[in-house]
Amino acid sequence: MAATAVGVVFSHTHEENVPELVHRRTMASIPYGGRYRIIDFALSNMVNSGITTVGLSANNNYRSLVDHIGSGKDWDLARKDGGLILLPPFSENSEMYDNTRMEAIASLTGFLTRRNEKYVVLYDCDAVAKFDISDIINAHEKKDADITIVTRKGIVEKTHDYLLVDADESGRIYEAKKVDRGITKGEATVSLGIMVFNRKFLLNLVNDSIAHGFRSFSKDVIIKQLSNLRIFSYNFEGYYAGIDSVSAYFKHNMELLQKDVRDELFSGRDIYTKVRDSAPSKYGAEAEVKNSLVSDGCEIEGTVENSILFRGVRVGKGSVVRNSIVMQDSVISEGASIDCVITDKNVVITSKRHLAGCESLPYIIQKGKHL
Amino acid sequence: MQRKKECVAMLLAGGQGSRLYALTTNIAKPAVAFGAKYRIIDFPLSNCINSGIDTVGVLTQYQPLILNEYIGNGQPWDLDRTFGGVHILSPYQAKARSSWYEGTANAIYQNMHFMKMYDPEYVLILSGDHIYKMDYAAMLKAHKETGADCTIAAINVPLSEASRFGILNTNTDGSIYQFEEKPKVPKSTLASMGIYIFTAKKLFDYLEADDANPNSSKDFGKDVLPAMLNAGEKMFSYRFEGYWKDVGTISSLWEANMDLLGENPVFDVSDKSWKIHSRNPLAPPECIGETGVVKNSMIALGCEIDGVVENSVLGSNVIVEKGAIVKDAVILANSVVRSGAVVSYSIVDENVEIGANAVVGVPKDPSAEIVVLGRGITVKDGVKVSEGQKHENDIKM
């Protein structure tokens, strides 16, 4: 059976929300949950829904993304037809260079014209959740929609650049509002940045929009055309971890220590990620590990509590890691301690250093730092 | 493109491994799990790729399904190649004759055409029964330097064990003057590791001759190597000093797992300069819960530990519930130890469920024997499994 949809993942949405984490990488390649990067959830959602062609829209600093993705084989996306296709910035007009979503979508037309899947799924890679994309496409088909926008009802955690919508009982969106900056109080329905289109319809829409000189996809295309287009919302009620700020990143990672959250994200289907062939993790005779996630390749001799250890982390004798996220290959040397700290990759905390942040403001240590 | 490979490896993976009892009821010995995330065959395959040998024939015969599936197209070992790569070689029907592999030499003989496809100068013969890290390229270099027709990797073993092995009696330059298969009174302690490099042409000639010999048992150790030596071919030993463990018995398999533990383990699989590649489980990081205790152990991805785990090796997705105790045990993937159960000095195969408050095995001591629970069985709540028992079916009382 041929796949019915082609996916497009935007790897750099909302990076301004977490500048500390995207210093040298894209939003999509932020490490998450011990052995993943955010994009693993997006790609796994697509692959698990039968999508075999995914365009990966990248803008800047995408080296870490390319390093992570490789040929796409770890996601089963190294294919003769389709598979994972990197879409670096491209513009026929050199002055336009992917600064807006409109431009980013416009630069996809070549890629989308050459595909023959019926649908396109545009996917902002700024959250961790388990979406059943085939179900979203089914809803799109059933409602004969032009555009289906995945939404979530509740307290809006986003702070800027988001779309609020109002839908009638059938799910048809009759009103939408773009919020450039600011918090929305109370309950509202917010777009999660995942949209389904008929591929040919999207191509026409983009060509028309370019001809009209539209600049904003949400303001000029969606909001202005609510009455003449059939735009529907698909309400998502599952677990959703939006990476809207560093504290949200910290909080959502820690939620993985809850069994029900892990079960929802991981059970019943696979989350694919880059294979590193690390050895299984080793726990020493004096290790004290409680309520923590530990990835492969770790060597633990000290104390670890309420924390998430990425691959290849070493915790020395007598050292204490509490309420922290320790990324790949970092070393907490003997007698050192950290509390409410996020260490990026390859950080070394030298012996007997003590560092602490707090839950709302975790102390972030940049990649490769020796402290 | 160059349609030639300097060295082709042939990995004998057809062995039943009957001394592993229930662990090899449904799978070939090289597919037996080891070290939380590996299977035995990961070691020779990783050694091959790390030594620059990218063409490997894997000869299967006994229960090949899991092994075939595990190897797949060889991608985990970087052995998916357009020319070369890993190939499963199972017994086949031919016009002249159809037969199972009758012995190690016959298995290689029947796949002569496979080797000849690559027009190799050298053929490396391996077995899928051992845990070790070895640079075959260094051995090949030695083979070339001595100008040998056959080089046999050899390791010193304790005198008390020497009669279990093929023993090499050598001159000071390493050349072999006598080869004794499992001698009652060994003259030396230099044991063959079952790893041979042959100059390809010689190998092909001797395999032809061996096949034509009706009195031959078609075995390398018993027939081919002695025949070469008798004919005066140049045969050298290649000394190997590192860790090498035959995991053909329950106790040696258990010991090899324990050799991975400790601050300075006897055998280190985390060495980044010699990675052991494997087909990785797709599982989230392991979770050690509020009540979990893990000491001196190796734990694979996806485990959920709420009980106590000590001196043990746990495969992926193993669940140890609150109040359960696992000590001195090897537990393979996807098994569950329910609350209050105690598992000591045991090897528990994949997908086993150990019921609440069940007691499996006795605390380890020199006189105690290892319990083996076979794949997929259930141990009923509260049942006691005595030391040394080996089970293939559900245990109800």
Side-chain angles (χ1 to χ4, degrees), chain B residues 2-10 55-57 59 83-84 87 89 92 107-125 198-209 211:
Chain B
Q2 192 188 2
R3 307 303 283 180
K4 181 175 174 65
K5 295 283 180 189
E6 188 193 28
C7 183
V8 169
M10 299 294 275
T55 305
V56 186
L59 294 93
F83 182 60
H87 296 263
L89 304 170
Y92 57 93
I108 304 293
Y109 172 76
Q110 288 202 39
N111 289 290
M112 196 93 97
H113 58 288
F114 171 80
M115 295 181 281
K116 285 183 173 170
M117 248 172 19
Y118 300 99
D119 189 19
E121 301 297 316
Y122 307 99
V123 175
L124 168 67
I125 308 284
F198 291 95
T199 299
K201 202 183 160 311
K202 288 280 178 193
L203 175 68
F204 299 161
D205 289 348
Y206 276 90
L207 287 177
E208 294 280 5
D211 187 60

Side-chain angles (χ1 to χ4, degrees), chain B residues 321-358:
Chain B
E321 291 186 352
K322 193 173 168 179
I325 298 172
V326 173
K327 229 173 182 176
D328 303 307
V330 174
I331 300 186
L332 307 187
N334 305 316
S335 289
V336 183
V337 183
R338 297 278 176 225
S339 69
V342 178
V343 180
S344 336
Y345 203 35
S346 301
I347 298 183
V348 177
D349 206 339
E350 294 173 24
N351 298 305
V352 170
E353 178 164 347
I354 296 172
N357 304 314

Side-chain angles (χ1 to χ4, degrees), chain A residues 262 276-278 281 291, chain B residues 37 275 277 280 286 288 304:
Chain A
R262 281 202 307 282
R276 211 173 82 135
D277 276 346
S278 311
S281 50
N291 196 37
Chain B
K37 70 175 275 203
K275 263 196 183 177
H277 304 281
N280 283 254
E286 66 257 26
I288 315 299
E304 301 262 342

Side-chain angles (χ1 to χ4, degrees), chain A residues 24-49:
Chain A
R24 279 173 163 164
R25 56 168 75 93
T26 63
M27 185 74 163
S29 50
I30 293 177
Y32 194 88
R35 64 187 301 258
Y36 303 99
R37 294 186 184 241
I38 293 174
I39 192 168
D40 292 334
F41 296 89
L43 293 180
S44 299
N45 282 337
M46 292 202 174
V47 170
N48 289 328
S49 299

Side-chain angles (χ1 to χ4, degrees), chain B residues 65-78:
Chain B
L65 178 68
I66 290 174
L67 189 59
N68 290 355
E69 200 231 347
Y70 186 69
I71 292 173
N73 69 348
Q75 182 256 317
W77 305 270
D78 213 3

